[in-house]
Amino acid sequence: MTTPEKNDRETSTPAQQTQDPTPDPRRWRVLALLGVAQLMLIVDVTVVAIALPEMGADLGLDRSGLTWVASVYALVFGGLMLLGGKAADVVGPRRVVLAGLALFTLASLLAGLAGSAELLLVARGLQGVGAAAMSPAALSVIVRTFSGPELSRALGVWSALGGAGAAVGVLVGGVLTSGPGWPWVFFVNVPVGALLLLALFRWVRPWPGSGGRLDVLGAALATLSTAAVVYGLVTAGDDGWLSAPTLVALLVGIAGYALLARHLRSSATPLVDPALLTRRPVLRGLGLIFVATALMISVFFLGSFTLQQLHGFSPLDTGLTFLPVAVGTVLGSTVAGRVLPRLGVRAVSVAGLLVAAVGLAAAAGIFSMTVLVAGITVAGFGVGAVFVAASASLFSAARPHEAGVASGALSTFHEFGAATGVSAVSSVAAAALVAPAFDTFATGYWFAAAVALVAALASLAPARPAA
């Protein structure tokens, strides 16, 4: 029996227990290609943040429409992630990687050509479908390609892409929006995606699938339930938290989650084994990745509007201003990866969340562009550490045969955190998006700081050992 303290400090993954006697000589090349593909998917969560004001002006989008442009991709991406991982197991990861990347590339072309809000939202949704297929399948390829200590290093690289990709997306969005225009935040994916398709087709092994059935109903319930909750959060900014549209949407979402829980318990081939979700280290990892991503996306969403509408920055200036945040996030992930084996998941997660809360509080309490950038950079450092702690906590309690679905669950909550974070903070600071003022923007930062603080207190609870 593993003690709670031992479990809290566990950093190895169950997949490391399976050794491959003949390592693929192309494994590092495959990791590099899949890493670029994954970075492209993560970047697309935040790349539109800088371009939102320009999109809104060109396409006539109101606050709600802007929020959905930012949220629908992450929502579909996260909602179908587990289904994408299951599909990789059933038909083989190589096929799913190539199909998902092809769809994502074509949808990016459609988004860049969109001349209406409706077409842009459809394209963003299709991007999410492609990303949901490619991302977990790519992780499945990595787990099958690497073994032993090399697998640990490969997964570390993969985890670092989450925080760094969000920051890189804001920078790329600023450069492209100020240059050729906002459609190029989508067009840039087309040549990159095409080159990656050719390279991956050549270098990724055709791993066989295991056969079986896909839990389409479970995936639909998860996605639609979260869509209802996000809709409720969006409408709260316009109609109020106690209005009928807000309450009905939230109740529909809760009811949908209840149906999903019942379905998972009764299905012969559930989307995810309910037993996995009862282990505290798993729940802690999912909760941490949800909160960390929500905080990160909130920082970029609020920061983009604050710098452009309150401080008069151009999109390019805004993207460049977020460079320190990118550096802070990567530095936080690096430091956390080094100290986590010695300090444990609990200490790293609590420290990271407290650091994030301090940085966000500084941004909320002092009206200064310098303090704003310094504060959100500090917050980025803390969030980067939490990303690493989330992965370590979840994989410490996942058994070898659960590694794939555990990865899918972690990625799912990453995207749900992004969708929920931008929806919640846009509602809390709704007045600022209509009539920009420091006090109204500060409300959003105070809210994010409070979330980080509450999450830090919740993370103090010790983790039970895996059953």
Side-chain angles (χ1 to χ4, degrees):
M1 177 67 70
T2 306
T3 64
E5 293 75 17
K6 170 73 173 177
N7 202 344
D8 238 9
R9 294 175 183 271
E10 185 63 62
T11 58
S12 64
T13 68
Q16 288 175 291
Q17 300 169 18
T18 302
Q19 299 292 324
D20 186 352
T22 57
D24 188 342
R26 303 167 297 183
R27 60 194 182 280
W28 294 109
R29 186 179 303 174
V30 169
L31 176 63
L33 292 172
L34 292 176
V36 172
Q38 175 71 0
L39 185 64
M40 184 169 65
L41 304 187
I42 299 299
V43 161
D44 238 62
V45 177
T46 55
V47 71
V48 301
I50 299 296
L52 283 176
E54 298 288 338
M55 289 181 188
D58 286 353
L59 301 180
L61 294 167
D62 58 12
R63 185 196 66 84
S64 177
L66 289 171
T67 302
W68 278 109
V69 169
S71 298
V72 69
Y73 170 74
L75 180 63
V76 177
F77 189 0
L80 297 179
M81 190 83 69
L82 287 171
L83 185 64
K86 185 68 173 179
D89 291 337
V90 171
V91 303
R94 182 176 182 269
R95 292 181 180 178
V96 180
V97 164
L98 296 176
L101 183 56
L103 177 58
F104 178 86
T105 302
L106 291 174
S108 297
L109 177 62
L110 179 62
L113 296 173
S116 66
E118 294 77 11
L119 185 58
L120 179 59
L121 289 173
V122 169
R124 288 288 281 168
L126 290 175
Q127 278 187 307
V129 175
M134 201 216 81
S135 183
L139 186 55
S140 177
V141 169
I142 291 173
V143 171
R144 298 188 187 205
T145 302
F146 290 87
S147 63
E150 285 190 347
L151 176 60
S152 182
R153 292 197 294 272
L155 290 176
V157 171
W158 190 263
S159 297
L161 294 174
V168 170
V170 179
L171 174 61
V172 172
V175 172
L176 294 175
T177 303
S178 295
W182 68 261
W184 281 90
V185 303
F186 303 113
F187 285 149
V188 72
N189 293 331
V190 178
V192 176
L195 291 174
L196 286 172
L197 270 172
L198 293 174
L200 290 172
F201 180 83
R202 178 180 180 183
W203 294 112
V204 175
R205 284 183 179 180
W207 299 98
S210 60
R213 298 176 59 187
L214 298 177
D215 185 9
V216 178
L217 177 58
L221 285 172
T223 305
L224 294 176
S225 300
T226 304
V229 172
V230 171
Y231 178 80
L233 294 172
V234 172
T235 57
D238 294 325
D239 301 330
W241 290 94
L242 298 179
S243 66
T246 300
L247 292 177
V248 169
L250 293 176
L251 289 174
V252 168
I254 293 172
Y257 287 132
L259 289 174
L260 175 61
R262 181 177 179 180
H263 169 75
L264 293 177
R265 288 194 299 268
S266 61
S267 175
T269 57
L271 193 64
V272 58
D273 184 358
L276 178 66
L277 303 179
T278 63
R279 301 168 200 162
R280 186 173 290 181
V282 172
L283 293 176
R284 169 179 281 173
L286 296 179
L288 286 174
I289 199 70
F290 180 91
V291 171
T293 310
L295 292 174
M296 178 65 73
I297 300 304
S298 297
V299 163
F300 291 133
F301 185 85
L302 283 175
S304 176
F305 281 94
T306 304
L307 291 171
Q308 292 184 66
Q309 296 187 354
L310 206 58
H311 295 286
F313 279 34
S314 69
L316 177 58
D317 293 336
T318 302
L320 292 173
T321 303
F322 275 114
L323 267 178
V325 185
V327 174
T329 304
V330 173
L331 184 60
S333 299
T334 302
V335 172
R338 291 181 180 274
V339 303
L340 192 142
R342 179 163 45 90
L343 300 180
V345 168
R346 190 177 2 163
V348 171
S349 60
V350 171
L353 288 165
L354 290 177
V355 168
V358 170
L360 291 165
I366 303 174
F367 179 52
S368 165
M369 186 272 292
T370 303
V371 173
L372 171 65
V373 175
I376 60 179
T377 298
V378 170
F381 180 93
V383 169
V386 178
F387 277 127
V388 176
S391 297
S393 180
L394 184 140
F395 284 114
S396 72
R399 301 185 180 96
H401 66 279
E402 298 169 329
V405 72
S407 300
L410 192 72
S411 299
T412 296
F413 275 72
H414 182 283
E415 303 312 318
F416 281 178
T420 304
V422 71
S423 301
V425 80
S426 73
S427 290
V428 171
L433 304 184
V434 177
F438 173 71
D439 289 343
T440 47
F441 276 118
T443 302
Y445 290 113
W446 281 124
F447 173 75
V451 169
L453 181 59
V454 170
L457 295 176
S459 295
L460 287 171
R464 287 195 307 263

